[in-house]
């Protein structure tokens, strides 16, 4: 699964692939390339999340799948059929639009019934009523969209697309306007519907937590390209680029030089301290790299304290900031080479808290670290919120 | 809360004031005088003066004498409005959705005819449709018209003139409605299995109804009361109610009859507009 981003050319010719396949998809607006030679396989029946910063081309990608924009080059196949040039109304694809795009002249009921009526379906009445109950809007059926709140409109947009049970449902930030409670319950509902009906969902979101909890596969997109895709845990635990390391959660990235490469382990010199990283987690061919470690994987202790037997130990730290956030304590530790590292310590009650100015030693298990290419920007994809590093 | 609504109400009245005074001066008073004139004793004249005799008989007389031009006006007006709607809708649609950066230029072209007088433009149609003109010659040549057939001085010429003259009044409100439509709604209907024809009838057309209603009203009302087109492009059998009123006023000096006809025309149009707007069900959209 994790290798899916690099589509095997033999598989690409395989017309029997029953999912949605985007191959070499490019969309340019005048001189600007919004989507750049994108290859993507979305397995049939999967819940696929497309995650990326604003303006990275997520909506443009969905519009091409829906047929609302035609690609500058590349192909789109669905279950082996080339749909690149087919009209939107001919595709078994529906969209929940980022802007809702509800019909203002029709009431909620007729908005939801729209797709069924165009396809001359039977028992429209019961289907729509059921769908409206599902999104908890049964009592609003005869109102016009303008009379609903933003969150209610969003649910109408969802119902209007979902009721058609398309082969692929495209969701462009469908839960963005909902409050946290409704958001959680709609997430569960969406996931349930997706599993029950077995539809393919492509879910675009800014919210990484939403992407991680709901999706089978997450693709992280940046500047019109897929940076990495895979199962949520894998993406988080073993990022291949600084962008992914910073965009999904937070990472400490420490400059280092690779001193030896063995079949199973790579040794890195990190400002005079030698640490080891599994070969499978080393994503650079060069000699220079960024050693990456998630803050919650770093252990903190007094100098000389035996922290975790087989770990990499980095002495000489000084605590510069302590913030207690309930479930954990977040430290900033200045290292001898001047960099501040983030450390999250679980409040198990069995460890003592450190104070600002105390000398400490850091340690982590080699299997949690990863090495990234040093040519990448160490702050790529970093969120503004949280600790400034 | 109550205070602010009351304040708003007062501001509203103040804003109505200038327009209200204007209307009082130039509409309400002339209207009163028109109604009064229509009830004068018909035996009066400019020389001898008129007497107010509440002569409701005037109304019966003019309906008996002029029901034909009255019906003809409604027919011509409706036909011209229909052609304006068809031509204007296509034009407004093209300007709103397909014109790209030519939009402003095209809109200016739509109103460009207003830069010359209504009369001159109608007279030029007379040249255009003249018996030995290019249009008639061509149509005769391809045998659409017989050798003795003509276009000028026919109902066709009158309706064509009305259609031409009132087309901008149809195009502008239609354009305003169509241009306001969020194109993403049309995309959404395509995404929901509506082919372009269905998308038009289910989304574009209903959303343009306010423009259709105001455009047809702005065309129909002046077209029914128009007399220039019938005067210049028509013959004695294409006389419209406007021609009758005009000649009663200026040639026959029969002010009571002219007044009565004017009032009837106004009431008729008012009644039709009310029924129409109700039927179109677009009060809330207007
Ligand atoms: N019709 C267009 N013409 C020109 N540029 C466009 C057009 N549509 C999108 N773009 C550009 O393409 C880029 C990608 O846009 P897109 O809407 O796909 O972003 P997105 O990933 O959906 O962002 P967001 O998360 O904010 O919705 C943006 O830089 C945008 O300015
Ligand atoms: Mg978007």
């Amino acid at each position: 699964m994790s290798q899916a981003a690099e589509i095997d050319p033999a598989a690409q010719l395989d017309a029997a692939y029953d999912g949605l396949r985007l191959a070499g998809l490019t969309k340019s607006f005048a001189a600007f390339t919004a989507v750049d030679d994108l290859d993507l396989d979305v397995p049939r029946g999967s819940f696929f999340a497309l995650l990326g910063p604003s303006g990275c081309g997520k909506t443009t990608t969905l519009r091409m799948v829906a047929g609302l924009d035609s690609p500058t080059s590349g192909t789109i196949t669905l279950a082996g059929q080339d749909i690149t040039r087919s009209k939107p109304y001919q595709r078994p694809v529906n969209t929940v639009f980022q802007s809702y795009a509800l019909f203002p002249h029709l009431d909620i009921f007729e908005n939801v019934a729209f797709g069924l009526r165009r396809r001359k379906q039977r028992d429209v009445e019961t289907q729509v009523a059921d769908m409206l109950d599902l999104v908890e809007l049964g009592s609003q059926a005869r109102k016009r969209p303008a009379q609903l709140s933003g969150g209610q409109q969003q649910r109408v947009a969802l119902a209007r697309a979902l009721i058609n049970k398309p082969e692929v449902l495209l969701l462009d930030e469908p839960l963005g306007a909902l409050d946290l409670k409704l958001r959680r319950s709609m997430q569960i509902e969406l996931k349930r519907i997706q599993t029950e009906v077995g539809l393919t969902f492509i879910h675009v979101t800014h919210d990484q937590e939403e992407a991680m909890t709901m999706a089978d596969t997450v693709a992280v997109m940046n500047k019109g390209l897929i940076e990495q895709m895979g199962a949520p845990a894998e993406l988080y635990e073993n990022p291949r680029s600084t962008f992914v390391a910073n965009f999904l959660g937070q990472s400490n990235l420490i400059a280092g030089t690779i001193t030896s490469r063995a079949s199973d382990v790579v040794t890195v010199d990190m400002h005079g301290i030698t640490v080891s990283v599994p070969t499978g987690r080393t994503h650079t061919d060069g000699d220079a790299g960024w050693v990456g470690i998630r803050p919650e994987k770093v252990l903190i202790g007094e100098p000389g304290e035996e922290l975790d037997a087989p770990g990499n130990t980095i002495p000489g730290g000084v605590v510069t900031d302590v913030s207690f956030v309930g479930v954990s304590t977040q430290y900033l530790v200045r290292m001898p080479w001047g960099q501040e590292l983030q450390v999250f310590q679980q409040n198990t009650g069995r460890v003592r808290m450190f104070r600002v100015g105390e000398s400490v030693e850091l340690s982590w298990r080699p299997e949690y670290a990863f090495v990234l290419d040093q040519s990448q920007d160490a702050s790529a994809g970093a969120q503004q919120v949280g600790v400034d590093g | 809360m109550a205070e602010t609504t009351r304040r708003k109400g007062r501001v509203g009245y103040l804003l109505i004031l200038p327009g209200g005074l204007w209307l009082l001066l130039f509409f309400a008073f002339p209207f009163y005088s028109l109604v009064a004139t229509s009830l004068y004793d018909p035996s009066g004249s400019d020389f001898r003066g008129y007497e107010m005799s509440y002569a409701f008989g005037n109304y019966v007389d003019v309906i008996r004498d002029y029901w034909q031009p009255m019906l003809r006006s409604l027919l011509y007006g409706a036909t011209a409005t229909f052609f304006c709607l068809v031509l204007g809708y296509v034009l407004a649609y093209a300007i709103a959705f397909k014109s790209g950066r030519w939009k402003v230029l095209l809109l200016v072209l739509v109103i460009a005819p207003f830069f010359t007088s209504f009369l001159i433009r109608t007279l030029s149609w007379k040249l255009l449709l003249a018996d030995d003109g290019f249009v008639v010659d061509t149509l005769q040549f391809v045998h659409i018209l017989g050798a003795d057939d003509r276009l000028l001085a026919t109902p066709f010429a009158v309706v064509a003139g009305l259609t031409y003259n009132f087309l901008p009044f149809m195009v502008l409100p239609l354009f305003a409605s169509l241009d306001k439509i969020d194109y993403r709604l049309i995309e959404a209907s395509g995404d929901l299995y509506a082919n372009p024809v269905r998308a038009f009838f289910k989304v574009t057309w209903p959303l343009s109804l306010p423009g259709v209603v105001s455009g047809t009203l702005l065309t129909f009302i002046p077209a029914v009361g128009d007399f220039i087109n019938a005067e210049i492009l028509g013959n004695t059998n294409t006389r419209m109610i406007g021609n009758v009123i005009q000649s009663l006023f200026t040639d026959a000096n029969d002010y009571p009859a002219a007044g009565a006809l004017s009032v009837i025309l106004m009431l008729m149009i008012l009644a039709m507009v009310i029924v129409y707007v109700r039927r179109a069900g677009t009060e809330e959209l207007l």
Side-chain angles (χ1 to χ4, degrees):
Chain A
M1 191 68 254
S2 70
Q3 305 299 313
E6 298 142 22
I7 299 168
D8 163 356
Q12 204 161 4
L13 296 172
D14 181 8
Y17 182 69
D18 68 345
L20 175 73
R21 170 167 293 171
L22 314 183
L25 207 61
T26 301
K27 178 70 187 178
S28 305
F29 297 107
F32 180 77
T33 305
V35 175
D36 192 2
D37 196 18
L38 188 89
D39 291 319
L40 195 61
D41 270 7
V42 181
R44 186 186 201 94
S46 68
F47 198 119
F48 191 96
L50 204 52
L51 189 62
S54 185
C56 71
K58 305 181 297 289
T59 298
T60 308
T61 307
L62 292 196
R63 285 177 60 84
M64 287 191 281
V65 175
L68 300 173
D69 272 340
S70 49
T72 310
S73 64
T75 58
I76 303 169
T77 48
L78 180 57
Q81 261 194 321
D82 188 341
I83 58 165
T84 316
R85 301 282 156 207
S86 60
K87 300 276 180 238
Y89 61 91
Q90 295 164 331
R91 302 187 187 200
V93 174
N94 286 114
T95 311
V96 181
F97 292 92
Q98 196 168 10
S99 58
Y100 316 152
L102 301 179
F103 302 121
H105 60 296
L106 300 178
D107 63 20
I108 302 312
F109 186 96
E110 286 304 322
N111 262 282
V112 176
F114 196 92
L116 297 181
R117 295 212 194 280
R118 298 293 81 74
R119 287 179 303 149
K120 312 258 188 299
Q121 296 250 317
R122 298 196 176 281
D123 40 278
V124 172
E125 306 283 320
T126 39
Q127 285 195 58
V128 174
D130 289 349
M131 186 47 78
L132 285 178
D133 284 341
L134 186 71
V135 295
E136 295 173 29
L137 286 174
S139 57
Q140 318 280 342
R142 291 301 163 197
K143 284 193 182 169
R144 293 283 176 93
Q147 295 168 299
L148 300 188
S149 73
Q152 289 172 327
Q153 292 181 24
Q154 202 161 42
R155 281 180 279 155
V156 177
L158 194 59
R160 188 180 70 171
L162 201 53
I163 197 168
N164 301 297
K165 304 208 164 52
E167 280 184 42
V168 179
L169 186 70
L170 306 174
L171 304 113
D172 200 347
E173 308 207 30
L175 308 179
L178 305 184
D179 63 43
L180 197 65
K181 189 162 159 277
L182 200 52
R183 204 180 162 95
R184 291 281 170 261
S185 79
M186 288 302 292
Q187 284 176 359
I188 293 167
E189 204 54 56
L190 268 183
K191 183 76 194 165
R192 190 183 65 74
I193 293 166
Q194 192 266 337
T195 329
E196 259 175 29
V197 192
L199 306 177
T200 309
F201 276 35
I202 302 183
H203 183 109
V204 161
T205 175
H206 273 124
D207 180 347
Q208 42 170 298
E209 198 179 319
E210 184 171 296
M212 306 259 250
T213 52
M214 295 174 81
D216 315 319
T217 309
V218 177
V220 177
M221 197 167 172
N222 183 29
K223 294 185 184 146
L225 288 166
I226 300 286
E227 286 267 341
Q228 187 179 351
M229 70 181 231
E234 194 192 294
L235 227 59
Y236 183 81
E237 299 297 351
N238 191 5
R240 292 156 168 272
S241 67
T242 55
F243 182 86
V244 176
N246 291 321
F247 191 76
L248 282 186
Q250 295 161 4
S251 298
N252 293 304
L253 296 175
I254 307 153
T257 312
I258 294 171
T259 49
S260 79
R261 284 177 185 268
S263 65
D264 57 340
V265 72
V266 170
T267 319
V268 187
D269 176 82
M270 219 172 62
H271 303 282
I273 299 156
T274 301
V275 294
S276 50
V277 179
T279 306
R281 299 171 64 86
T282 304
H283 309 294
T284 177
D285 298 327
D287 283 344
W290 296 109
V291 176
I293 185 78
R294 298 282 186 188
E296 73 277 10
K297 301 291 190 330
V298 183
L299 300 177
I300 184 167
E302 284 166 31
E305 187 181 339
E306 195 68 2
L307 278 174
D308 198 20
N312 297 311
T313 301
I314 301 95
V318 178
V319 176
T320 55
D321 189 67
V322 182
S323 41
F324 178 76
V325 289
V327 294
S328 67
T329 307
Q330 308 193 347
Y331 295 102
L332 272 186
V333 179
R334 182 181 304 283
M335 302 315 291
W337 58 91
Q339 187 180 6
E340 280 183 334
L341 300 185
Q342 276 187 284
V343 180
F344 298 166
Q345 186 183 46
Q346 282 293 309
N347 283 331
T348 56
R350 279 179 292 169
V351 287
R352 83 171 181 89
M353 272 178 65
F354 294 89
R355 286 183 307 276
V356 173
E358 274 191 85
S359 290
V360 291
E361 205 167 274
L362 302 183
S363 155
W364 59 76
R365 283 174 174 252
E367 64 264 36
Y368 292 144
F370 46 89
V371 180
L372 305 175
D373 199 295
Q374 200 162 33
S375 65
Q376 296 173 357
D377 177 7
S379 62
Q383 322 263 307
Q384 300 316 310
V385 289
V387 189
D388 45 353
Chain B
M1 185 64 217
E3 182 56 33
T4 56
T5 42
R6 206 176 307 141
R7 174 116 35 85
K8 238 185 236 164
R10 220 176 288 148
V11 170
Y13 289 128
L14 281 176
L15 290 175
I16 288 172
L17 206 59
L21 283 177
W22 181 271
L23 278 180
L24 192 71
L25 211 60
F26 294 104
F27 178 75
F29 179 70
F31 182 69
Y32 162 76
S33 120
L34 179 70
V35 173
T37 307
S38 73
L39 295 173
Y40 284 160
D41 186 347
S43 65
S45 81
D46 248 2
F47 290 124
R48 281 173 282 140
Y50 289 101
E51 249 178 85
M52 172 52 96
S53 62
Y54 296 100
F56 287 98
N58 290 346
Y59 284 80
V60 181
D61 292 345
V62 294
I63 290 177
R64 188 193 57 226
D65 293 344
Y66 303 116
W67 63 270
Q68 264 185 319
M70 211 179 280
L71 277 186
R72 191 180 295 131
S73 294
L74 294 179
L75 183 68
Y76 287 3
T79 315
T81 304
F82 174 77
F83 286 122
C84 277
L85 181 60
V86 174
L87 294 173
Y89 204 98
V90 176
L91 185 58
Y93 187 93
I95 297 175
F97 293 121
K98 310 282 177 195
S99 62
R101 60 206 181 90
W102 302 108
K103 197 182 266 188
V104 176
L105 180 70
L106 287 171
L107 280 176
V108 170
L109 287 180
V110 167
I111 56 167
F114 289 131
F115 298 155
T116 46
S117 109
F118 190 78
L119 199 61
I120 303 285
R121 284 183 281 129
T122 313
L123 281 170
S124 67
W125 268 78
K126 191 169 182 163
L127 293 179
L128 199 67
L129 300 181
D131 291 340
D132 48 2
F134 167 75
V135 176
V136 171
D137 283 351
T138 311
L139 290 176
Q140 284 174 341
F141 181 73
V142 298
H143 295 289
I144 288 177
L145 283 183
D148 295 330
D149 289 343
R150 51 191 314 213
L151 287 178
L152 201 60
T154 61
F156 169 83
V158 179
V159 171
L162 288 171
T163 305
Y164 161 75
N165 275 310
F166 295 107
L167 188 59
F169 295 102
M170 182 65 90
V171 174
L172 292 180
L174 279 177
F175 168 79
S177 269
L178 286 167
D179 196 48
K180 243 186 3 204
I181 297 179
D182 185 348
Y183 192 70
R184 292 175 295 189
L185 296 175
I186 299 168
E187 287 185 342
S189 72
D191 188 63
L192 292 163
Y193 312 103
N195 61 33
V197 174
R198 293 199 149 265
F200 176 78
F201 284 109
K202 293 296 172 189
V203 179
T204 314
W205 173 258
L207 288 175
S208 67
L209 273 185
V212 172
V213 171
S214 42
T216 46
L217 290 179
L218 283 178
T219 311
F220 181 74
I221 296 170
V224 170
D226 181 76
F227 65 94
I228 304 263
N229 285 279
E231 177 81 35
I232 296 176
L233 304 172
N235 61 28
T236 46
N237 291 324
T238 62
R239 275 161 62 85
M240 293 172 68
I241 197 72
N243 303 87
V244 175
I245 294 172
Q246 190 236 4
S247 67
L248 283 175
F249 260 116
T250 56
D251 305 337
N253 281 340
D254 190 350
Y255 292 175
L261 262 185
S262 302
V263 172
I264 291 174
L265 178 64
M266 194 185 305
L267 292 179
M268 222 164 48
I269 289 178
L270 194 66
M272 291 174 66
V273 166
I274 289 173
V275 172
Y276 174 61
V277 172
R278 283 262 167 101
R279 289 289 299 272
T282 49
E283 297 104 313
E284 55 184 310
L285 294 174
L286 272 174

